[in-house]
Every structure is written in structure tokens, then in C-alpha cells.
């Protein structure tokens, strides 16, 4: 009987040792950085995006079977809907001062890494509040290595491409109206 108790105690110590002796891993927090400011025809004010994706504050990927995997050790500085709007507001600058910025609403449908293709994917749409037209976007950027830093860089490039498209749209569709 005594040997059974000792065996059970040793087994419990072995099973729980991974929990007790694993080294501490701090949670990494990442923001989007865009390379350059984009010139727009009109001043744009990006409203907070509506998040229809499955993405939250934790970085996530989706494998080929559709399973969503959330990274327990890395997260975004803000939820994706706020993160993208903030980065765009910082990146989009009007060619000249216009009287009133044009509010632009958006929706995020995808904000994650496609693990099978090793790409960060950003997809959704934007529109003007009083306009029925919807302008779609879908960008995929290769993730160069298996790290949270590489995911954050790829996400920044994808949002930078969205900034390019919004700037072009503002110059061609909205013009330089004061």
C-alpha cells in the first residue's frame, strides 16, 4: 500500500512538473506601423471599423481545415477594428487643408494569418455613411518567418496597401473639395 502511495505521489509530481517548472514567457504586445504617410485629395476621418471577423486582441491564424488558433503569448495593442482605423488615421494626410474631413466607415471580415499559405490576410470593405456603395478590399502579404514580429510586419504592409487604395480613392472619387 505504501509503495502505491509513493508511486501516485511521484506520478503526480511528474505530471504537474511542466506547469510548475516552465519558465515565464511575457505576453508580447504589437502595434501596426506603416512605412509612409499617404496623400489624399480630401481629409478623411476613418471611423472605428466594425469587426465581423473572428479576430480579437490575440494574434490568430487559421489552418487549412479552418481551425482558428489564437496565440496565447502575443496580442495586438488594440482590438483589430480600432487598430486599423487608428493606423489609417495616422497614415492618411490630405494634400491640402480641407474644411471638413469626410467620415469613412469600414468593416473587417478577415484579420489573421492563413497558415497554409503563410500569408497575413486583411479583407473587408469601406463606405461613406450616406452612400449605398461599398468598396471592397482583400490583401494578402507573405509572412516571412514564424514569429509574432513577422506577423505584425505583414499586417502593417497589408494596412499600408489599404491606405494606398483609400488615398487613390479619395483623389479620384472625392477630389480636392474644400
Amino acid at each position: 500500500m505504501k509503495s502505491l502511495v509513493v508511486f501516485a505521489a511521484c506520478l503526480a509530481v511528474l505530471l504537474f512538473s511542466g506547469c510548475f517548472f516552465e519558465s515565464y514567457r511575457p505576453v508580447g504586445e504589437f502595434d501596426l506601423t506603416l512605412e509612409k504617410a499617404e496623400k489624399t485629395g480630401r481629409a478623411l476621418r476613418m471611423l472605428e471599423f466594425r469587426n465581423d471577423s473572428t479576430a480579437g486582441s490575440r494574434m490568430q491564424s487559421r489552418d487549412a481545415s479552418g481551425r482558428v488558433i489564437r496565440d496565447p503569448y502575443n496580442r495586438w495593442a488594440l482590438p483589430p477594428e480600432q487598430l486599423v482605423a487608428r493606423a489609417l488615421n495616422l497614415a492618411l494626410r490630405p494634400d491640402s487643408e480641407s474644411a471638413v474631413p469626410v467620415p469613412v466607415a469600414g468593416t473587417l471580415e478577415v484579420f489573421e494569418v492563413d497558415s497554409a499559405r503563410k500569408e497575413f490576410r486583411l479583407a473587408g470593405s469601406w463606405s461613406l455613411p450616406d452612400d449605398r456603395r461599398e468598396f471592397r478590399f482583400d490583401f494578402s502579404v507573405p509572412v516571412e518567418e514564424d514569429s509574432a514580429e513577422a506577423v505584425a510586419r505583414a499586417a502593417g504592409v497589408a494596412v499600408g496597401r489599404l491606405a494606398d487604395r483609400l488615398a487613390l480613392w479619395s483623389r479620384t472619387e472625392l477630389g480636392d473639395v474644400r
Side-chain angles (χ1 to χ4, degrees):
M1 183 68 176
K2 185 177 181 182
S3 62
L4 183 61
V5 171
V6 170
F7 175 74
C10 289
L11 182 63
V13 168
L14 285 174
L15 290 176
F16 290 117
S17 65
C19 297
F20 294 123
F21 299 113
E22 181 179 345
S23 61
Y24 172 74
R25 289 178 60 182
V27 174
E29 195 168 83
F30 294 88
D31 198 357
L32 293 176
T33 55
L34 278 60
E35 296 294 318
K36 58 184 174 154
E38 293 299 324
K39 296 293 185 183
T40 62
R42 290 272 314 261
L44 301 178
R45 184 172 54 93
M46 299 303 298
L47 305 174
E48 183 177 308
F49 278 58
R50 187 176 76 220
N51 189 355
D52 288 347
S53 73
T54 59
S57 291
R58 296 217 177 264
M59 287 186 174
Q60 76 176 32
S61 61
R62 185 177 303 267
D63 66 13
S65 68
R67 184 177 67 146
V68 174
I69 302 157
R70 289 185 176 83
D71 187 336
Y73 298 109
N74 297 295
R75 66 180 182 179
W76 297 107
L78 296 168
E81 61 273 16
Q82 294 173 14
L83 196 67
V84 172
R86 179 179 163 274
L88 291 172
N89 280 324
L90 291 172
L92 297 170
R93 298 285 174 235
D95 284 335
S96 60
E97 291 301 316
S98 55
V100 178
V102 176
V104 179
T107 300
L108 288 178
E109 295 168 1
V110 180
F111 187 84
E112 66 193 14
V113 174
D114 181 338
S115 296
R117 300 170 101 182
K118 295 186 172 142
E119 295 176 332
F120 183 86
R121 192 154 167 248
L122 173 70
S125 63
W126 80 82
S127 63
L128 296 173
D130 296 333
D131 194 341
R132 291 185 180 261
R133 293 179 300 167
E134 186 176 76
F135 302 92
R136 308 233 8 108
F137 61 87
D138 192 342
F139 301 105
S140 293
V141 177
V143 177
E144 301 298 329
E145 58 191 52
D146 187 22
S147 71
E149 292 83 2
V151 170
R153 277 193 304 274
V157 170
V159 174
R161 290 181 183 169
L162 177 56
D164 291 342
R165 177 140 339 142
L166 280 162
L168 177 64
W169 170 77
S170 77
R171 289 190 304 268
T172 58
E173 297 283 326
L174 299 177
D176 186 15
V177 180
R178 295 173 205 244

